[in-house]
Amino acid sequence: MVDNGEIYRILGAGTKTLVLLEFDAIRTRVAACALSEEAARRIAVEVPRTDPLEVGELKGLVAAVLERMQEGEKRESLPDIGFLLPKLAVEGAVLELDEAYGLGLFVERAWTLRTWLARGLEEEPLGALVAAVPDCTAVSREIFQVLDKEGKLRDLNEFREIRRRIRNLSRDLEHLMAGYTGNEDTRRMLQSTVPSQRDGRLVLALKANFRGRIKGIVHEVSSSGQTLFVEPGEVVEKNNEILIEQRRLDAEIHRVLRDLTGRIAAQRQSLEVLHERILYLEMIRAKARYAWETGGRFAETWGAGSARSLILKQARHPLLGAQAVPIDFAMNEDTTTVIITGPNTGGKTVALKTLGLFALMNQTGLALPAEEGTALPVFDGVYADIGDEQSLSQSLSTFSAHITTIAAILAIATERSLVLLDELGSGTDPEEGSAIAMAILDHLIEERVRLITTTHHGILKNYGYTREGVENASVEFDGKTLSPTYRIVMGLPGESHAVDIAGRNGLPLGIIERARTYLAEERSDVSALIAGLKKKHQDLDAATEQGRLETARLREAQRQADLRELRLRQQEANLKAGSTGNLRLLLTESRKTLENLVRELREEEITREKTLKVKEFLHTLEETVRAEESSLEAENLALLEERRRLDRVYAAAFTPAKGPIGPGSEVLAGEYKRRGTVIRAGKKGAWIVELGSLKMSFAEDQLYLLPPSAVEPLIATADLVVDNPARLEINLRGMRMEEALETLRHQLDAAVLSGLGEFSVVHGKGDGILQRGVHEFLKGQPQVADYYFSRPELGGFGRTEVVLKGFM
């Protein structure tokens, strides 16, 4: 018999822990992003991996698919075919029309997915995974030579002659029936002038009081006995001929499907490989879609034997939505235990659940709702004891239930495990509970198990200061409002503030004052010491932040001054260059003038003195120009060296962006470090930056992040309330055409407003009137990207799937 501990070990994270941390809810949300019900079912039971290499590879695959989604994605559902593949292995098995249609769609859409992922992709590991998907498009071509794109049989040569005979016989039969329904004498005997069908044979609805007036075979009598369904004798033969031809057609269809099944069965092994690999890729795509929709980031992963720091930055519990308060948490590799203290409802348990849930999500390849810099080790197990475990059926008190769970955890936890214990030592005498809690902590610390625990026991606050590898932490409490801020403060224990919270929750003032009196008499100055330490810690944090901002401001001011000086020197150099150019122009013009003068002198009387004087003038002019050019070159070299010096000075303060750069980031851009704001992502990894009135594109290594502003942006949110919210499925059966189309119109509007990308319309089959009306309506709607019949097991031709634009 396998005990609970062994189950924990087998799964890598206890089944109980998965429930306590609500990991099922996360898996359900990820499964909803899948376009295959088979992939969704696999995601719903997927367990976290425990091998660091596997975790890293999985997150790399998801990140690669997420990057591909930036370029657009065509979303097509993948039919279930897992139950069909074993059927292909059975000798003589024949696929039904719906089964063959589903298999053809799967192969076709699987290849579309493979092509989308493979476009321009060669790097490992996604490239190798995609390349390993076999090409089974020959199977889909075989299927769609027999079926059309709506799953109906094509008009093949094998069926054409039989169908022609059936049509001719049907016309003859209708002509015979018209002799009864169109004759005045016989028409008055009929309940309806429209013939009915019974067992595939055309019959007349004859009034009971005219029984025997029309000779033939009675197939059925109505429940009231007022109507007889009679097949007139002269139409019996025609009905027989039609049935015979119909049986021939059915036999021919069965033969065609049997041959088709045989050809498909020859590719069974390739189809099985295709099925498995496409489902795995679809699971990865679902995780990438989840990351896209939630805006999450992938945590940096530490493997076995590497640094074991556990860092959360602005981590938000993924199930709390807008109500989640971001928390920061840090455990370096030398810290194995963190003891969190503080008031009830302060967020201690939520912090524990967030930590555990992040570990499980990280090891399942999921992006986390946190900021860049979040890092997590890969644990071989995540074990939690959270909440009230009291069990009446097993005669377990709260304390006994906690101890039973903790004992199971202690038996299996290793150095690579993460243990989360809520309210350690509670549920019994405080003194004994504290002793047991410290003994448990001692054991886990000796085993170097990564432990995070919450408690209200005051003695455990002192324990954190006296043990190596243990750190205190607390949830912050606002003494003015008597309410928690939900922020975790590392390094300081917290007070419970139970009396303050009791007063805020309605306990009479007299009882509150008496409680304060008892508290003042019994307790020591520990709480006052804690309060003082917390105040000093907050003051130090504020001073450190203020100093950082002031240093950044001064550095920026110095940089601006240096740049202004550099620009002035550049302008001076430009002026000198202009002057030298003018001088060079003067030299050229002077040379021309002197050459003209020499030519004139040659024509007149020339002396040696005049010639020497001219040469001396030219030589002096050339020397002056050379001196100016040398001075300008030296100045340019000095400017270049100054620019390099400034780059070195500020390279340490403003490193090229490698982290959380995005729209709104303040940066220094380009060679001249001009200050600007990132507007959006550009092409090929570049960013569009607004520099004053200009917008320019820069590579990421040309951008230098500036410190964040001390003024936080004001963010306003608005909720849109829809009277008739969008539904995943609407049922139009039983409605008139006008009413049905109006209902469908409201559904489309609500779906667009609420962001619902796909929904189903149930219209039934019947005579096909409502079906055609729905399809004609959808064809004319600009917001509809595609619509198609559902898979056979979901309703087939009686149900239509609608996909809106922007979701494909």
Side-chain angles (χ1 to χ4, degrees):
M1 179 177 174
V2 180
D3 60 16
N4 289 337
E6 185 61 16
I7 293 175
Y8 271 62
R9 172 65 62 201
I10 292 170
L11 296 181
T15 305
K16 181 178 179 182
T17 297
L18 301 184
V19 174
L20 287 175
L21 298 179
E22 300 176 273
F23 187 58
D24 283 346
I26 297 296
R27 292 189 294 196
T28 299
R29 293 188 179 188
V30 178
C33 297
L35 296 176
S36 161
E37 291 188 8
E38 288 181 286
R41 289 193 294 269
R42 295 189 181 191
I43 292 171
V45 297
E46 186 177 13
V47 296
R49 289 161 171 76
T50 59
D51 182 272
L53 294 179
E54 287 185 15
V55 173
E57 181 180 347
L58 178 59
K59 292 199 294 185
L61 292 171
V62 178
V65 175
L66 178 60
E67 184 178 351
R68 176 51 51 86
M69 284 183 177
Q70 311 288 338
E71 305 171 9
E73 176 191 16
K74 184 177 181 181
R75 294 175 60 80
E76 292 181 316
S77 62
L78 295 168
D80 287 5
I81 65 165
F83 69 98
L84 292 178
L85 298 178
K87 187 174 182 178
L88 295 176
V90 178
E91 185 73 26
V94 178
L95 294 177
E96 301 292 336
L97 282 176
D98 291 345
E99 294 172 342
Y101 180 57
L103 182 58
L105 285 181
F106 181 90
V107 172
E108 195 174 69
R109 292 174 181 178
W111 193 250
T112 300
L113 172 60
R114 190 257 185 215
T115 303
W116 173 69
L117 290 174
R119 189 170 62 247
L121 183 68
E122 296 178 356
E123 66 273 13
E124 299 284 352
L126 183 58
L129 184 62
V130 171
V133 175
D135 183 0
C136 296
T137 52
V139 172
S140 62
R141 287 195 297 270
E142 288 277 3
I143 291 173
F144 289 117
Q145 285 176 356
V146 176
L147 306 179
D148 60 21
K149 290 299 181 178
E150 294 186 352
K152 298 178 181 178
L153 274 171
R154 295 185 182 276
D155 189 18
L156 303 177
N157 292 332
E158 295 91 330
F159 311 144
R160 198 166 295 143
E161 179 59 28
I162 301 175
R163 284 174 172 168
R164 186 188 63 77
R165 287 198 294 271
I166 290 175
R167 285 195 297 271
N168 291 338
L169 290 171
S170 297
R171 280 196 298 268
D172 294 342
L173 184 59
E174 289 171 3
H175 179 71
L176 288 174
M177 283 298 193
Y180 292 93
T181 58
N183 185 291
E184 187 65 31
D185 293 335
T186 56
R187 186 166 50 193
R188 62 187 179 84
M189 305 178 193
L190 303 177
Q191 292 282 16
S192 171
T193 58
V194 178
S196 300
Q197 277 203 356
R198 290 296 182 272
D199 299 326
R201 305 176 74 87
L202 217 56
V203 296
L204 296 172
L206 182 67
K207 295 177 182 177
N209 56 329
F210 290 102
R211 182 171 185 169
R213 298 287 294 274
I214 297 178
K215 304 298 183 182
I217 301 172
V218 178
H219 283 267
E220 190 177 328
V221 180
S222 66
S223 58
S224 64
Q226 300 298 312
T227 305
L228 305 176
F229 294 96
V230 178
E231 181 183 8
E234 58 183 316
V235 304
V236 169
E237 189 58 33
K238 288 294 181 186
N239 271 328
N240 288 341
E241 291 179 13
I242 290 175
L243 284 175
I244 291 171
E245 292 298 327
Q246 188 62 52
R247 295 295 181 270
R248 288 183 58 203
L249 179 60
D250 292 342
E252 193 61 29
I253 291 173
H254 185 271
R255 184 192 63 78
V256 170
L257 290 177
R258 185 182 65 244
D259 294 344
L260 175 63
T261 303
R263 293 194 296 273
I264 295 172
Q267 302 292 325
R268 180 176 59 84
Q269 291 183 344
S270 295
L271 287 172
E272 288 174 347
V273 175
L274 173 73
H275 178 248
E276 284 300 318
R277 291 180 178 168
I278 286 297
L279 287 188
Y280 184 61
L281 286 173
E282 181 54 35
M283 291 171 67
I284 292 172
R285 180 166 67 168
K287 294 175 182 180
R289 168 60 57 175
Y290 177 78
W292 173 283
E293 292 179 355
T294 59
R297 297 176 183 271
F298 294 100
E300 187 174 354
T301 297
W302 309 114
S306 61
R308 300 179 69 231
S309 298
L310 192 161
I311 302 170
L312 300 187
K313 290 192 175 182
Q314 294 295 287
R316 302 174 299 280
H317 194 288
L319 299 179
L320 295 182
Q323 297 178 346
V325 177
I327 62 171
D328 292 318
F329 187 87
M331 291 178 72
N332 60 36
E333 55 185 307
D334 296 325
T335 301
T336 60
T337 301
V338 172
I339 300 173
I340 305 176
T341 51
N344 288 318
T345 71
K348 301 189 301 296
T349 302
V350 172
L352 278 189
K353 288 189 173 183
T354 302
L355 284 161
L357 194 53
F358 269 39
L360 297 176
M361 292 174 65
N362 177 60
Q363 292 176 214
T364 317
L366 298 178
L368 310 177
E371 295 301 321
E372 198 75 29
T374 295
L376 288 165
V378 174
F379 301 105
D380 66 358
V382 178
Y383 312 115
D385 176 46
I386 299 174
D388 187 353
E389 296 288 319
Q390 183 173 358
S391 173
L392 296 179
S393 63
Q394 299 180 24
S395 300
L396 291 177
S397 66
T398 298
F399 176 73
S400 298
H402 279 303
I403 293 301
T404 300
T405 301
I406 292 173
I409 293 174
L410 295 179
I412 57 176
T414 71
E415 186 177 349
R416 286 190 55 219
S417 302
L418 174 64
V419 175
L420 308 170
L421 302 179
D422 191 26
E423 302 295 351
L424 182 60
S426 63
T428 188
D429 175 76
E431 185 174 353
E432 293 186 8
S434 297
I436 292 174
M438 287 189 290
I440 292 172
L441 291 175
D442 286 342
H443 174 78
L444 291 173
I445 292 170
E446 290 170 2
E447 298 295 326
R448 294 194 57 80
V449 176
R450 186 61 63 94
L451 168 67
I452 304 165
T453 182
T454 68
T455 185
H456 282 289
H457 290 305
I459 194 171
L460 292 184
K461 303 172 186 178
N462 183 57
Y463 180 94
Y465 285 118
T466 60
R467 294 295 190 279
E468 185 178 353
V470 181
E471 185 172 358
N472 279 314
S474 59
V475 287
E476 195 175 49
F477 188 81
D478 190 334
K480 295 180 180 178
T481 62
L482 300 181
S483 60
T485 64
Y486 303 104
R487 192 171 75 91
I488 294 181
V489 180
M490 302 300 296
L492 284 177
E495 297 182 87
S496 294
H497 291 279
V499 176
D500 294 328
I501 295 173
R504 191 186 65 175
N505 284 281
L507 201 63
L509 182 60
I511 296 176
I512 294 298
E513 293 301 327
R514 184 169 295 182
R516 292 190 192 281
T517 302
Y518 283 128
L519 196 60
E521 294 174 354
E522 296 295 333
R523 73 179 180 183
S524 64
D525 295 331
V526 173
S527 292
L529 177 61
I530 290 174
L533 284 173
K534 184 175 294 185
K535 181 65 169 59
K536 290 182 182 296
H537 197 283
Q538 291 172 345
D539 292 343
L540 179 61
D541 283 349
T544 302
E545 178 66 13
Q546 184 62 34
R548 187 186 64 79
L549 293 175
E550 183 64 19
T551 300
R553 186 189 66 79
L554 292 174
R555 187 182 288 113
E556 174 66 8
Q558 180 64 43
R559 189 187 70 84
Q560 293 291 347
D562 289 344
L563 286 177
R564 282 195 295 271
E565 180 184 354
L566 189 61
R567 291 192 191 100
L568 287 174
R569 293 177 63 180
Q570 185 72 53
Q571 290 174 0
E572 182 181 355
N574 290 340
L575 288 174
K576 287 185 178 181
S579 299
T580 303
N582 292 335
L583 193 59
R584 187 180 291 107
L585 179 62
L586 175 62
L587 175 62
T588 303
E589 294 296 329
S590 299
R591 185 184 297 275
K592 291 180 180 178
T593 302
L594 289 173
E595 287 175 352
N596 290 335
L597 180 61
V598 170
R599 189 167 51 253
E600 291 175 1
L601 289 174
R602 285 176 180 172
E603 296 174 355
E604 301 176 4
E605 183 179 358
I606 184 171
T607 65
R608 185 174 180 277
E609 291 77 9
K610 291 181 179 181
T611 303
L612 291 174
K613 189 175 182 179
V614 168
K615 290 182 177 180
E616 183 179 356
F617 172 78
L618 291 175
H619 179 72
T620 303
L621 197 58
E622 287 180 351
E623 288 295 328
T624 303
V625 171
R626 288 195 188 97
E628 287 293 332
E629 287 179 339
S630 298
S631 175
L632 178 61
E633 184 177 356
E635 184 67 23
N636 283 335
L637 288 174
L639 282 173
L640 180 60
E641 183 61 31
E642 179 67 12
R643 180 176 298 167
R644 289 172 177 170
R645 184 188 70 80
L646 289 176
D647 285 343
R648 289 193 299 270
V649 170
Y650 294 105
F654 306 110
T655 56
K658 295 182 183 299
I661 190 170
S665 297
E666 294 293 325
V667 296
L668 299 178
E671 181 182 3
Y672 295 101
K673 308 296 186 296
R674 296 181 62 185
R675 184 167 187 147
T677 304
V678 176
I679 302 300
R680 65 178 185 276
K683 296 180 179 178
K684 298 181 179 178
W687 293 92
I688 306 300
V689 180
E690 185 175 40
L691 305 171
S693 59
L694 297 177
K695 294 181 180 178
M696 300 178 66
S697 176
F698 294 94
E700 190 163 322
D701 58 4
Q702 294 181 296
L703 300 180
Y704 294 76
L705 286 172
L706 287 173
S709 173
V711 180
E712 295 185 357
L714 178 62
I715 301 175
T717 60
D719 292 330
L720 183 62
V721 179
V722 182
D723 290 337
N724 295 315
R727 291 174 289 173
L728 294 174
E729 178 181 282
I730 59 172
N731 193 337
L732 306 182
R733 290 180 296 184
M735 297 184 185
R736 296 189 303 276
M737 180 65 74
E738 182 179 354
E739 180 187 3
L741 295 183
E742 185 64 23
T743 301
L744 182 54
R745 184 179 292 107
H746 283 305
Q747 169 71 5
L748 281 173
D749 293 342
V752 171
L753 290 174
S754 61
L756 179 64
E758 300 182 27
F759 61 87
S760 304
V761 181
V762 179
H763 43 62
K765 299 178 182 178
D767 296 328
I769 297 174
L770 184 57
Q771 175 197 98
R772 289 193 294 274
V774 167
H775 283 202
E776 287 296 325
F777 176 81
L778 293 174
K779 185 185 299 182
Q781 299 305 304
Q783 64 268 49
V784 175
D786 193 12
Y787 59 90
Y788 48 85
F789 289 120
S790 299
R791 296 190 298 274
E793 65 270 19
L794 295 180
F797 303 131
R799 187 170 183 262
T800 295
E801 305 291 339
V802 181
V803 182
L804 303 186
K805 290 182 178 177
F807 296 90
M808 295 190 66

